[in-house]
Amino acid sequence: MYKNGVDTIVAASTPPGKAALSLIRLSGPESFELLKRIFKKGGKKSFPLPYSAYYGSLIDPDDGSTVDKVVLTSFVAPNSFTGENTVEISCHGNPVLVSRILAILIKAGARAAEPGEFTRRAFINGKLDLLEVEAVAQLLSAESMSQARLALNQLNGLPSQRVAAFRAQILHHLVQLEASLNFPEDAIEAIDEHRLGHELKIIRRELRIFAESARHGNMVAGGLKIALLGRPNSGKSSLMNYMLGRDRAIVTEVAGTTRDTLEESMQIGSMPVKIIDTAGLRKPGDRIEALGIERTRQAIADSFALIGVFDGSQPATEEDLAILAELKLQQKPFLCVRNKIDLVQRLDPDFFVGLNGVGVSALQRTGLSGLIDELTIILQKSGLENLEKMVLLGAQQQNALDRALAAVDRVCEGIGQIYQDMLAIELEDAVRELGRVNGETVEVNTLDLIFERFCIGK
């Protein structure tokens, strides 16, 4: 559990290991007084001044020895990341020195920070809201420039402003409804339910667009999942290796080598994707194979798009037909791949009539450019390249947004059908849940779940 936030915390903000420099962050009310006791600065500039850097020596108070030559950067509250008095210490990047400096700072009165505690304090002190907190988390974990751009776009505060606007609009209608119900003797104008319904439907439409932007944003942030489906020995694992440019999946002539799902990241253009090799869909021969097929079903459900892999050197089987039916059933973007085009072709040319397909030879490493081109078109048609309109939400925030939208749905459907006091209860739920999206109303346990994903030092 986090402390009460009035003590001074310290942590290394750079990863462990040898480097030219490391950064140690100190934040809290005693930051400056603590450092005055162990830092011997050079020059005549007084310490601390806002946004100022100081070169000098960190001293071990036990024996007066110099621990390291460092540069301190001071940030005076409230003009810091956390909103508190903060000092960033640039020291030499030897883990031994970093550990000793941390030990001296803790002995001098600081407390070791918990994961995400600096960002948590920034939230508590009003420097960030929860949408911006989520953007920071995603920026730290981004594996591509697209993911980084998506996070940076959110840090500009526009998504937070939209949530606040939705909440304010719904709160306005809630206040009017409550006033009409509770003070009828004060000649307050009765609620026009037709107008209320019209205005709430406009809000609902915008909320749905926002929720769709969040769904797209979360997909991009996690990497768009693309599952490979096909019968045994159709070449799914070989195709995965070909797409990755390395041998990730085991490939043999023995059918059913893949018993579990394999997931690896790559990029298509600037878009991060995760290719999933699956165990296939067939009647299982044993319990282990059954578990693999169950995971295939889950991979299909979690995927943004599907790739059906078919052996062009063999006539279509019942399993091939079942895979094709599965691709059509899922109502997701899909692409059919005729594999093994280097061999004599026995798969009926009409098998892919009316379908989007390409030919490749995973073994001979041919046809990849056509496959990537088709996947790029799928991504472009989905609208997922428009990063500026996407939103990043954590799991708790996404659930809160879904609950808010469901409450607004119930109001829109209930107008003229249920009592106005019931409508007010639903509007109150929507206001509360939207507050949980951007942090205007949030429980301590929820904060713990959000910030525990952060590294120590952030």
mmCIF file of all heavy atoms in Angstrom, residues 180-200:
data_model
loop_
_atom_site.group_PDB
_atom_site.id
_atom_site.type_symbol
_atom_site.label_atom_id
_atom_site.label_comp_id
_atom_site.label_asym_id
_atom_site.label_seq_id
_atom_site.Cartn_x
_atom_site.Cartn_y
_atom_site.Cartn_z
ATOM 1 N N SER A 180 -36.222 19.537 -10.787
ATOM 2 C CA SER A 180 -37.626 19.405 -11.135
ATOM 3 C C SER A 180 -38.343 18.423 -10.215
ATOM 4 O O SER A 180 -39.505 18.630 -9.844
ATOM 5 C CB SER A 180 -37.751 18.946 -12.588
ATOM 6 O OG SER A 180 -39.101 18.715 -12.936
ATOM 7 N N LEU A 181 -37.620 17.358 -9.805
ATOM 8 C CA LEU A 181 -38.214 16.335 -8.944
ATOM 9 C C LEU A 181 -38.314 16.798 -7.493
ATOM 10 O O LEU A 181 -39.313 16.528 -6.810
ATOM 11 C CB LEU A 181 -37.383 15.050 -9.007
ATOM 12 C CG LEU A 181 -37.457 14.244 -10.307
ATOM 13 C CD1 LEU A 181 -36.381 13.162 -10.325
ATOM 14 C CD2 LEU A 181 -38.848 13.613 -10.465
ATOM 15 N N ASN A 182 -37.309 17.514 -7.007
ATOM 16 C CA ASN A 182 -37.219 17.806 -5.576
ATOM 17 C C ASN A 182 -37.813 19.147 -5.168
ATOM 18 O O ASN A 182 -38.100 19.361 -3.990
ATOM 19 C CB ASN A 182 -35.749 17.761 -5.132
ATOM 20 C CG ASN A 182 -35.164 16.368 -5.260
ATOM 21 O OD1 ASN A 182 -35.850 15.377 -5.039
ATOM 22 N ND2 ASN A 182 -33.892 16.299 -5.645
ATOM 23 N N PHE A 183 -37.974 20.075 -6.133
ATOM 24 C CA PHE A 183 -38.484 21.401 -5.776
ATOM 25 C C PHE A 183 -39.623 21.823 -6.708
ATOM 26 O O PHE A 183 -39.569 22.896 -7.340
ATOM 27 C CB PHE A 183 -37.356 22.438 -5.831
ATOM 28 C CG PHE A 183 -36.178 22.080 -4.965
ATOM 29 C CD1 PHE A 183 -35.036 21.536 -5.532
ATOM 30 C CD2 PHE A 183 -36.231 22.266 -3.600
ATOM 31 C CE1 PHE A 183 -33.949 21.201 -4.746
ATOM 32 C CE2 PHE A 183 -35.150 21.931 -2.797
ATOM 33 C CZ PHE A 183 -34.006 21.389 -3.366
ATOM 34 N N PRO A 184 -40.655 20.997 -6.830
ATOM 35 C CA PRO A 184 -41.757 21.364 -7.747
ATOM 36 C C PRO A 184 -42.495 22.614 -7.297
ATOM 37 O O PRO A 184 -43.069 23.329 -8.120
ATOM 38 C CB PRO A 184 -42.668 20.127 -7.691
ATOM 39 C CG PRO A 184 -42.367 19.501 -6.355
ATOM 40 C CD PRO A 184 -40.916 19.745 -6.116
ATOM 41 N N GLU A 185 -42.476 22.888 -5.982
ATOM 42 C CA GLU A 185 -43.206 24.052 -5.478
ATOM 43 C C GLU A 185 -42.522 25.366 -5.816
ATOM 44 O O GLU A 185 -43.105 26.441 -5.648
ATOM 45 C CB GLU A 185 -43.363 23.941 -3.956
ATOM 46 C CG GLU A 185 -42.079 24.098 -3.151
ATOM 47 C CD GLU A 185 -41.234 22.826 -3.105
ATOM 48 O OE1 GLU A 185 -41.647 21.817 -3.741
ATOM 49 O OE2 GLU A 185 -40.181 22.842 -2.453
ATOM 50 N N ASP A 186 -41.277 25.313 -6.287
ATOM 51 C CA ASP A 186 -40.531 26.540 -6.590
ATOM 52 C C ASP A 186 -40.698 26.980 -8.043
ATOM 53 O O ASP A 186 -39.898 27.754 -8.563
ATOM 54 C CB ASP A 186 -39.049 26.352 -6.286
ATOM 55 C CG ASP A 186 -38.791 26.215 -4.791
ATOM 56 O OD1 ASP A 186 -39.655 26.644 -4.010
ATOM 57 O OD2 ASP A 186 -37.731 25.670 -4.425
ATOM 58 N N ALA A 187 -41.706 26.462 -8.669
ATOM 59 C CA ALA A 187 -42.040 26.844 -10.053
ATOM 60 C C ALA A 187 -40.906 26.568 -11.035
ATOM 61 O O ALA A 187 -40.719 27.303 -12.003
ATOM 62 C CB ALA A 187 -42.446 28.318 -10.109
ATOM 63 N N ILE A 188 -40.122 25.533 -10.729
ATOM 64 C CA ILE A 188 -39.075 25.136 -11.664
ATOM 65 C C ILE A 188 -39.717 24.459 -12.871
ATOM 66 O O ILE A 188 -40.623 23.615 -12.725
ATOM 67 C CB ILE A 188 -38.075 24.186 -10.979
ATOM 68 C CG1 ILE A 188 -37.320 24.955 -9.890
ATOM 69 C CG2 ILE A 188 -37.102 23.589 -11.984
ATOM 70 C CD1 ILE A 188 -36.382 24.109 -9.076
ATOM 71 N N GLU A 189 -39.290 24.827 -14.029
ATOM 72 C CA GLU A 189 -39.889 24.320 -15.267
ATOM 73 C C GLU A 189 -39.784 22.801 -15.336
ATOM 74 O O GLU A 189 -38.735 22.220 -15.046
ATOM 75 C CB GLU A 189 -39.180 24.947 -16.455
ATOM 76 C CG GLU A 189 -39.793 24.551 -17.797
ATOM 77 C CD GLU A 189 -39.068 25.212 -18.964
ATOM 78 O OE1 GLU A 189 -38.203 26.078 -18.708
ATOM 79 O OE2 GLU A 189 -39.373 24.860 -20.112
ATOM 80 N N ALA A 190 -40.880 22.146 -15.679
ATOM 81 C CA ALA A 190 -40.895 20.689 -15.795
ATOM 82 C C ALA A 190 -39.969 20.247 -16.923
ATOM 83 O O ALA A 190 -39.768 20.967 -17.911
ATOM 84 C CB ALA A 190 -42.311 20.199 -16.050
ATOM 85 N N ILE A 191 -39.433 19.052 -16.765
ATOM 86 C CA ILE A 191 -38.508 18.520 -17.763
ATOM 87 C C ILE A 191 -39.261 18.138 -19.028
ATOM 88 O O ILE A 191 -40.286 17.441 -18.983
ATOM 89 C CB ILE A 191 -37.774 17.290 -17.189
ATOM 90 C CG1 ILE A 191 -36.826 17.709 -16.069
ATOM 91 C CG2 ILE A 191 -36.995 16.574 -18.286
ATOM 92 C CD1 ILE A 191 -35.686 18.593 -16.503
ATOM 93 N N ASP A 192 -38.751 18.605 -20.149
ATOM 94 C CA ASP A 192 -39.273 18.205 -21.459
ATOM 95 C C ASP A 192 -38.561 16.907 -21.842
ATOM 96 O O ASP A 192 -37.408 16.931 -22.279
ATOM 97 C CB ASP A 192 -38.996 19.300 -22.489
ATOM 98 C CG ASP A 192 -39.556 18.966 -23.865
ATOM 99 O OD1 ASP A 192 -39.858 17.776 -24.117
ATOM 100 O OD2 ASP A 192 -39.670 19.884 -24.701
ATOM 101 N N GLU A 193 -39.214 15.771 -21.633
ATOM 102 C CA GLU A 193 -38.560 14.478 -21.841
ATOM 103 C C GLU A 193 -38.168 14.264 -23.306
ATOM 104 O O GLU A 193 -37.163 13.607 -23.593
ATOM 105 C CB GLU A 193 -39.460 13.338 -21.360
ATOM 106 C CG GLU A 193 -39.615 13.296 -19.845
ATOM 107 C CD GLU A 193 -40.170 11.979 -19.368
ATOM 108 O OE1 GLU A 193 -40.404 11.077 -20.221
ATOM 109 O OE2 GLU A 193 -40.385 11.816 -18.153
ATOM 110 N N HIS A 194 -38.957 14.807 -24.215
ATOM 111 C CA HIS A 194 -38.614 14.662 -25.636
ATOM 112 C C HIS A 194 -37.281 15.355 -25.930
ATOM 113 O O HIS A 194 -36.394 14.782 -26.594
ATOM 114 C CB HIS A 194 -39.722 15.245 -26.511
ATOM 115 C CG HIS A 194 -39.401 15.209 -27.983
ATOM 116 N ND1 HIS A 194 -39.455 14.042 -28.727
ATOM 117 C CD2 HIS A 194 -38.987 16.205 -28.844
ATOM 118 C CE1 HIS A 194 -39.106 14.314 -29.976
ATOM 119 N NE2 HIS A 194 -38.823 15.612 -30.072
ATOM 120 N N ARG A 195 -37.137 16.556 -25.420
ATOM 121 C CA ARG A 195 -35.880 17.290 -25.623
ATOM 122 C C ARG A 195 -34.726 16.612 -24.902
ATOM 123 O O ARG A 195 -33.612 16.513 -25.430
ATOM 124 C CB ARG A 195 -36.050 18.720 -25.132
ATOM 125 C CG ARG A 195 -34.802 19.579 -25.300
ATOM 126 C CD ARG A 195 -35.050 20.996 -24.809
ATOM 127 N NE ARG A 195 -33.843 21.809 -24.900
ATOM 128 C CZ ARG A 195 -33.765 23.070 -24.490
ATOM 129 N NH1 ARG A 195 -34.830 23.660 -23.966
ATOM 130 N NH2 ARG A 195 -32.627 23.722 -24.605
ATOM 131 N N LEU A 196 -34.989 16.144 -23.662
ATOM 132 C CA LEU A 196 -33.955 15.434 -22.906
ATOM 133 C C LEU A 196 -33.467 14.218 -23.679
ATOM 134 O O LEU A 196 -32.261 13.978 -23.792
ATOM 135 C CB LEU A 196 -34.505 15.015 -21.539
ATOM 136 C CG LEU A 196 -33.574 14.153 -20.675
ATOM 137 C CD1 LEU A 196 -32.322 14.928 -20.293
ATOM 138 C CD2 LEU A 196 -34.312 13.663 -19.419
ATOM 139 N N GLY A 197 -34.422 13.456 -24.221
ATOM 140 C CA GLY A 197 -34.043 12.262 -24.981
ATOM 141 C C GLY A 197 -33.224 12.605 -26.210
ATOM 142 O O GLY A 197 -32.241 11.928 -26.527
ATOM 143 N N HIS A 198 -33.604 13.676 -26.903
ATOM 144 C CA HIS A 198 -32.874 14.091 -28.105
ATOM 145 C C HIS A 198 -31.438 14.473 -27.768
ATOM 146 O O HIS A 198 -30.491 14.040 -28.450
ATOM 147 C CB HIS A 198 -33.597 15.268 -28.759
ATOM 148 C CG HIS A 198 -32.858 15.871 -29.919
ATOM 149 N ND1 HIS A 198 -32.743 15.228 -31.140
ATOM 150 C CD2 HIS A 198 -32.182 17.051 -30.025
ATOM 151 C CE1 HIS A 198 -32.026 15.985 -31.957
ATOM 152 N NE2 HIS A 198 -31.682 17.093 -31.310
ATOM 153 N N GLU A 199 -31.271 15.275 -26.713
ATOM 154 C CA GLU A 199 -29.926 15.732 -26.351
ATOM 155 C C GLU A 199 -29.063 14.590 -25.820
ATOM 156 O O GLU A 199 -27.855 14.539 -26.087
ATOM 157 C CB GLU A 199 -30.038 16.862 -25.328
ATOM 158 C CG GLU A 199 -30.666 18.117 -25.920
ATOM 159 C CD GLU A 199 -30.774 19.252 -24.911
ATOM 160 O OE1 GLU A 199 -30.406 19.037 -23.741
ATOM 161 O OE2 GLU A 199 -31.229 20.349 -25.304
ATOM 162 N N LEU A 200 -29.670 13.671 -25.071
ATOM 163 C CA LEU A 200 -28.891 12.536 -24.555
ATOM 164 C C LEU A 200 -28.494 11.575 -25.674
ATOM 165 O O LEU A 200 -27.441 10.930 -25.602
ATOM 166 C CB LEU A 200 -29.682 11.809 -23.477
ATOM 167 C CG LEU A 200 -29.721 12.502 -22.116
ATOM 168 C CD1 LEU A 200 -30.641 11.759 -21.158
ATOM 169 C CD2 LEU A 200 -28.327 12.603 -21.520
#
